[in-house]
Amino acid sequence: MILLDYRDKRPIYEQVVEKLERLIVSGGLEPLTKMPSVRSLAMELSVNPNTIQRAYTELEQDGYLYTVSGRGSFVTAESDWRENKQSKVLKEWKNITLQAREAGLPKEILEEALRQAYAPDAAGAIDISEAQHG
């Protein structure tokens, strides 16, 4: 079930992309599952079909969905979307690392932040002041 937040400043299609991506990654939508038609999902969410089409197109570009002409959209096999996601995240990580270097952050701080992120009890938040002093 997808719940949209109309107070969210992001466009509706971005919210749909995020929710469907989460469902796919979490296993809520299993690989090779047929997606609802654009029209039916648009009716269910009370949004314009173009909004759903845009979300499906983005999910297809990101490797989460594939389309079979005349049959509809399907969830991609996990190995395919996971590889694509990892590649995208690695590219983003490299860009952020270059920005950190340009901002003067020492490599040791980044290494500590990375260790914290991979710690078994990591809550996901990195405290830079803690990394600088610890």
Side-chain angles (χ1 to χ4, degrees):
M1 175 90 188
I2 296 175
L3 297 175
L4 300 174
D5 181 359
Y6 294 99
R7 294 175 299 188
D8 191 326
K9 294 180 186 202
R10 294 176 303 152
I12 298 296
Y13 87 92
E14 285 183 9
Q15 291 183 51
V16 172
V17 167
E18 178 192 353
K19 306 284 185 184
L20 288 175
E21 183 178 327
R22 276 195 196 152
L23 280 170
I24 292 168
V25 170
S26 70
L29 285 171
E30 294 186 16
L32 311 179
T33 301
K34 186 177 187 323
M35 295 295 293
S37 72
V38 168
R39 197 168 283 150
S40 68
L41 187 55
M43 285 176 48
E44 182 181 324
L45 298 177
S46 300
V47 298
N48 188 306
N50 292 334
T51 301
I52 302 302
Q53 183 59 55
R54 186 169 180 184
Y56 276 19
T57 299
E58 188 163 317
L59 287 163
E60 190 167 346
Q61 289 171 350
D62 289 345
Y64 291 101
L65 299 180
Y66 67 94
T67 301
V68 176
S69 187
R71 294 198 47 222
S73 295
F74 296 82
V75 177
T76 305
E78 180 177 351
S79 59
D80 293 340
W81 62 254
R82 187 163 305 280
E83 184 178 310
N84 191 13
K85 174 94 173 167
Q86 289 173 348
S87 174
K88 187 176 176 181
V89 168
L90 186 58
K91 184 178 179 181
E92 289 176 25
W93 177 77
K94 286 178 181 178
N95 287 334
I96 293 293
T97 302
L98 289 173
Q99 290 176 31
R101 187 174 71 188
E102 290 169 1
L105 278 171
K107 181 172 76 171
E108 295 75 20
I109 291 176
L110 295 177
E111 288 171 345
E112 179 57 29
L114 187 60
R115 269 192 291 282
Q116 288 177 19
Y118 273 88
D121 61 344
I126 305 298
D127 182 354
I128 190 155
S129 63
E130 188 177 299
Q132 288 174 330
H133 301 297

